[in-house]
Amino acid sequence: MRVLMVASEAAPFAKTGGLADVAGALPSALARLGCDVTLVVPAYREVFAKGLPVEPTGLSFEVPMGARRLEARIFGGRLPGDAARVYFVANDGCFDRPTLYGGPRDYADNAERFIFFARAALEFAGREERPFDILHCHDWQAGLVPAYQKLVYRGWPMLAGARTVMTIHNMAYQGWFWHWDMLLTGFDWRYFNWRQMECHGQLNFLKTGLVFADAITTVSPTYAREIQQSPGGCGLDGVLAVRSDAITGIVNGIDTAAWDPATDPYLPRGYGPDDVVAGKRAARRSLAERLGREIAEDVPLVALVGRLVEQKGIDLVIEMLGRMAGGGRARFVILGTGSVDTEEALGRLAAEHPGVINVVIGFDEGLAHLLFAAADVVLVPSRYEPCGLTQLYALRYGAIPIVRATGGLVDTVVDATPESLGDGRASGFVFDAFDARALERALERALDAHGDRDLWDGLVRGAMARDWSWDTSAREYVRLFERVRAAPPVDVH
Ligand code: ADP
């Protein structure tokens, strides 16, 4: 089966969040199952700055953009493990910029940038020598691909027989643009209607993908249910409810080679379930050096790694820290970037409690690995969470996650109760209400459990033993690909 994967970021080349982890690992997992996978991502400045092997292919072509044409130059590389090819679409005007999408405000021309990307991905695939069976599109940045395939490139032999799969990594980011951007897409205005591309007067890239794709997936079964209702669907719940037969929830895996505490190059020493205490002690020392602070050995270390935004429940963390920091029961280290207000609020807390709270503002892959290794507990108190990866990294590194019962967190963490501890299923602490007190109570439960050495050791062993490799989920994708390939394409006329 020949799969073209279209994603706006992929680890290790360019990353702002979980999408990159998925796009960087799923192609290799599919390849191991016999799929022939080609990944296409934009050639951002970051891609070249990493020093990874990325070479020009010599291929270039022009992509229509309204009345103009933009040149796409194609670079090539391979994903780690050599299992899948990755191609980068270069156009300096679009992608040679300091960040992927802008920030703090989105780039004003993001519509143009990702119209260009979607078309260039298809123009590239259309020039390959063997036809594709599946076009697997991720998030709004690739949302126009299914519509282009059905409306513009349907006569291209390498693309015509393919089925399209749209994967939602986060419903809240839909790619809303003003209606005049329709002129850049080249689509006929008749598709700008409330059933297809239009949403409240705007052009909506994700909605377009959801309507035109032959199948829809999202990154956990619970999130698949949540997005078919309000508020989880973020205004597109109606669109999704209409297509409920086409939606599948497949939980993300993790790249077990890049995230392996036994071999992780970012750690001072490797460790496994049998020497996790020594491994964590070494990681903590290294972390203390990085932070320029001492970290007490006998106090549990609580970490949070992620975008410091509302979605991630960072407001709960700030409120909880204000109450718990003085108690001396734990040390906290937070790594992330977010809104100025949030970063400042966390900075103030850290300044008020210098021995207790450390806040590192920035995106630092190595420090994230070190934190999961050093931590005893990892916080994921999300307001909503499509899948969530940090709780999975935590489990693999023997840190116990505290999660709110939402989305993929429900599907990946089992609350520690006497019963689940008894039968070995427990893997973390789960709380329901989106409320700082509920988070605080869950953390108190975790800290109490940490005081019981045998119980904690059992919990950590159980957590580290779980298999979150991509193999199971990749098999589900293959089954889905086979199903959609055998069915007729969705009728969009
Ligand atoms: P989301 O995609 O919503 O941001 P996920 O939990 O799915 O959340 O994935 C986040 C990914 O980004 C994880 O790999 C996490 O370790 C990483 N990450 C987030 N913020 C940072 C940061 N400041 N430094 C390093 N890695 C980060």
Side-chain angles (χ1 to χ4, degrees), residues 15 17-18 21 305-307 312 335-336 362-364 368 388-390 393:
K15 170 167 168 177
D21 291 359
V305 177
R307 294 180 292 120
K312 299 291 178 183
L335 167 65
F363 195 97
D364 187 331
L389 292 172
T390 58
Y393 299 141

Side-chain angles (χ1 to χ4, degrees), residues 195-218:
R195 286 174 181 280
Q196 292 180 304
M197 297 181 179
E198 181 262 352
C199 193
H200 300 291
Q202 291 189 294
L203 171 60
N204 186 310
F205 281 25
L206 183 62
K207 174 173 175 174
T208 303
L210 299 177
V211 170
F212 283 81
D214 298 306
I216 299 169
T217 77
T218 188

Side-chain angles (χ1 to χ4, degrees), residues 151 157 260 283 361 493:
L151 303 178
D260 182 354
I361 301 296
H493 297 287

Side-chain angles (χ1 to χ4, degrees), residues 67-225:
R68 293 173 297 135
R69 301 182 77 78
L70 296 184
E71 191 192 32
R73 284 173 296 121
I74 304 296
F75 289 72
R78 298 205 68 103
L79 285 175
D82 217 28
R85 277 162 307 157
V86 47
Y87 290 97
F88 303 90
V89 178
N91 174 287
D92 291 349
C94 289
F95 300 129
D96 184 20
R97 301 190 188 186
T99 63
L100 274 54
Y101 313 121
R105 278 169 182 245
D106 290 348
Y107 293 129
D109 59 350
N110 272 350
E112 177 167 330
R113 296 171 77 224
F114 290 101
I115 289 168
F116 171 74
F117 173 58
R119 286 198 82 152
L122 288 175
E123 294 264 348
F124 163 73
R127 288 170 165 79
E128 289 271 272
E129 281 169 4
R130 283 172 301 129
F132 286 93
D133 301 298
I134 297 289
L135 310 180
H136 188 183
C137 317
H138 295 267
D139 273 354
W140 71 262
Q141 293 92 338
L144 299 187
V145 169
Y148 276 123
Q149 186 243 1
K150 286 197 169 64
L151 303 178
V152 177
Y153 294 95
R154 60 177 186 276
W156 289 41
M158 299 303 129
L159 302 172
R163 298 289 182 272
T164 48
V165 177
M166 186 75 224
T167 293
I168 306 161
H169 295 263
N170 194 331
M171 271 319 284
Y173 300 91
Q174 299 181 2
W176 299 276
F177 299 103
W178 77 329
H179 58 288
W180 290 117
D181 284 332
M182 272 300 280
L183 294 172
L184 299 178
T185 64
F187 293 133
D188 193 293
W189 276 104
R190 75 190 155 103
Y191 297 107
F192 192 74
N193 65 70
W194 66 276
R195 286 174 181 280
Q196 292 180 304
M197 297 181 179
E198 181 262 352
C199 193
H200 300 291
Q202 291 189 294
L203 171 60
N204 186 310
F205 281 25
L206 183 62
K207 174 173 175 174
T208 303
L210 299 177
V211 170
F212 283 81
D214 298 306
I216 299 169
T217 77
T218 188
V219 289
S220 69
T222 299
Y223 194 60
R225 284 191 296 278

Side-chain angles (χ1 to χ4, degrees), residues 220-458:
S220 69
T222 299
Y223 194 60
R225 284 191 296 278
E226 290 172 353
I227 58 178
Q228 294 180 57
Q229 297 159 16
S230 179
C234 301
L236 296 184
D237 23 295
V239 177
L240 286 166
V242 168
R243 299 221 57 198
S244 73
D245 289 347
I247 303 176
T248 313
I250 303 177
V251 79
N252 284 335
I254 60 173
D255 183 335
T256 47
W259 294 91
D260 182 354
T263 58
D264 192 324
Y266 294 116
L267 308 189
R269 56 159 281 184
Y271 65 90
D274 292 333
D275 55 354
V276 55
V277 174
K280 284 195 172 290
R281 202 176 295 132
R284 261 182 202 224
R285 272 193 227 110
S286 220
L287 178 66
E289 274 168 34
R290 285 281 310 264
L291 300 176
R293 293 274 170 86
E294 284 194 11
I295 297 185
E297 299 257 331
D298 48 345
V299 183
L301 183 68
V302 180
L304 183 148
V305 177
R307 294 180 292 120
L308 307 176
V309 296
E310 257 197 8
Q311 178 205 335
K312 299 291 178 183
I314 205 71
D315 38 341
L316 302 195
V317 174
I318 290 172
E319 190 183 330
M320 178 273 286
L321 283 175
R323 278 198 296 268
M324 281 190 74
R329 288 201 74 191
R331 270 212 66 150
F332 300 87
V333 181
I334 295 172
L335 167 65
T337 55
S339 69
V340 176
D341 288 355
T342 311
E343 290 178 358
E344 281 176 4
L346 285 168
R348 275 196 300 276
L349 276 167
E352 282 162 21
H353 304 279
V356 182
I357 303 174
N358 270 91
V359 175
V360 181
I361 301 296
F363 195 97
D364 187 331
E365 186 75 24
L367 189 54
H369 284 242
L370 188 59
L371 256 182
F372 291 119
D376 299 298
V377 170
V378 166
L379 302 179
V380 197
S382 304
R383 188 177 295 264
Y384 69 92
E385 193 59 74
C387 176
L389 292 172
T390 58
Q391 81 279 13
L392 302 181
Y393 299 141
L395 290 166
R396 184 143 165 93
Y397 282 63
I400 299 303
I402 297 187
V403 307
R404 193 170 93 78
T406 181
L409 301 173
V410 174
D411 299 327
T412 53
V413 179
V414 178
D415 188 37
T417 60
E419 198 195 0
S420 67
L421 283 165
D423 59 22
R425 284 180 309 115
S427 60
F429 295 85
V430 183
F431 65 98
D432 266 308
F434 186 75
D435 174 286
R437 292 276 179 199
L439 166 61
E440 205 172 316
R441 279 194 295 275
L443 179 54
E444 296 281 4
R445 278 205 292 142
L447 296 176
D448 289 345
H450 186 269
D452 180 337
R453 213 55 251 176
D454 286 345
L455 188 154
W456 194 260
D457 287 351

